[in-house]
Amino acid sequence: AQTVTQSQPEMSVQEAETVTLSCTYDTSESDYYLFWYKQPPSRQMILVIRQEAYKQQNATENRFSVNFQKAAKSFSLKISDSQLGDAAMYFCAYRSEGGSTLGRLYFGRGTQLTVWP
Amino acid sequence: DTEVTQTPKHLVMGMTNKKSLKCEQHMGHRAMYWYKQKAKKPPELMFVYSYEKLSINESVPSRFSPECPNSSLLNLHLHALQPEDSALYLCASSHWDTSYEQYFGPGTRLTVT
């Protein structure tokens, strides 16, 4: 089964600074998708960014970008110019594309991000 | 419209009650999901419906009974729950044939007394 590991239970960053959240995963599949979801105190899960495994180019969404290293099975999220509203629990997720696990999302345990003013 | 709606937002029920959670989306998605989430933990998959048919059941106890009456609506029927079933229940939807992300609803906070 696929596993997703977030080794940083908590991170903190000063407002306007940059922070990087780590995520590694284990899979034998070649086709898959990776996601970062954000869950603020309201507990609404919000998609932050998506990366297709077949694309070498790293995904970017405004202040959010990823460093996708397929060979190393690493998928980190960089948040630039951090804002108070970025404070949330961040989940890394892997979406399987094959067989009986098609469509299933595998989540990491999450990283709680605190943003200091 | 990229919204998944869930009702009710909060639910308190006794262990002998029967209640239902409702989830609705109008994005044309043909896959819908139920998750259970405890505080400070990742969501745990419970059920997946694909084209209104149950495709994944994660060995969920029978006191949870899902239903997908049509492609836009997903219900979760609750009966004889235990206090440990208290959690946030999240619904999500996605395209099925293409590898698109799941869109989540705001959740129902369930308390079993």
Side-chain angles (χ1 to χ4, degrees):
Chain A
Q2 288 74 11
T3 57
V4 178
T5 302
Q6 293 178 250
S7 59
Q8 307 152 318
E10 297 177 348
M11 291 282 284
S12 62
V13 63
Q14 201 85 28
E15 200 175 4
E17 297 295 310
T18 296
V19 65
T20 298
L21 308 184
S22 300
C23 173
T24 58
Y25 57 94
D26 187 24
T27 185
S28 58
E29 298 177 334
S30 58
D31 293 326
Y32 50 88
Y33 286 69
L34 296 164
F35 306 93
W36 279 97
Y37 281 90
K38 164 186 175 181
Q39 190 174 40
S42 67
R43 300 192 76 184
Q44 168 88 53
M45 290 282 281
I46 301 165
L47 177 71
V48 175
I49 201 164
R50 178 185 75 177
Q51 175 76 45
E52 294 89 337
Y54 64 85
K55 287 188 177 179
Q56 292 188 343
Q57 186 173 7
N58 290 325
T60 299
E61 287 288 341
N62 301 313
R63 298 182 295 106
F64 298 88
S65 61
V66 299
N67 183 3
F68 173 50
Q69 302 289 328
K70 189 173 184 179
K73 297 180 183 175
S74 170
F75 181 60
S76 61
L77 174 70
K78 185 172 82 171
I79 306 174
S80 304
D81 186 25
S82 296
Q83 300 176 359
L84 295 177
D86 294 333
M89 179 73 89
Y90 285 80
F91 291 102
C92 178
Y94 171 105
R95 178 181 160 130
S96 182
E97 293 305 307
S100 62
T101 59
L102 176 65
R104 182 191 298 273
L105 267 184
Y106 296 88
F107 286 95
R109 296 176 68 84
T111 296
Q112 181 67 52
L113 179 66
T114 301
V115 181
W116 301 104
Chain B
D1 183 5
T2 58
E3 189 179 20
V4 177
T5 60
Q6 289 188 245
T7 54
K9 290 186 179 179
H10 301 274
L11 178 63
V12 179
M13 60 184 291
M15 289 189 286
T16 58
N17 292 159
K18 285 186 180 181
K19 296 287 184 182
S20 296
L21 309 184
K22 179 180 173 181
C23 173
E24 201 161 4
Q25 57 88 14
H26 296 286
M27 295 179 277
H29 291 168
R30 302 309 296 272
M32 297 186 77
Y33 312 77
W34 278 116
Y35 290 88
K36 173 184 177 181
Q37 187 182 27
K38 293 281 198 178
K40 300 192 181 297
K41 299 289 187 183
E44 300 172 23
L45 184 65
M46 299 175 72
F47 303 103
V48 180
Y49 274 83
S50 169
Y51 291 89
E52 296 91 68
K53 293 186 178 175
L54 185 65
S55 61
I56 297 177
N57 177 341
E58 289 291 272
S59 302
V60 178
S62 60
R63 57 186 185 269
F64 295 92
S65 175
E67 178 195 21
C68 190
N70 59 60
S71 61
S72 300
L73 187 57
L74 184 67
N75 298 318
L76 186 62
H77 303 297
L78 314 173
H79 173 56
L81 295 192
Q82 303 297 309
E84 59 265 27
D85 296 322
S86 298
L88 180 71
Y89 287 83
L90 293 166
C91 173
S93 71
S94 74
H95 292 290
W96 183 256
D97 297 332
T98 53
S99 303
Y100 277 43
E101 58 270 17
Q102 293 182 19
Y103 291 87
F104 285 81
T108 294
R109 295 176 191 262
L110 174 67
T111 303
V112 181
T113 61

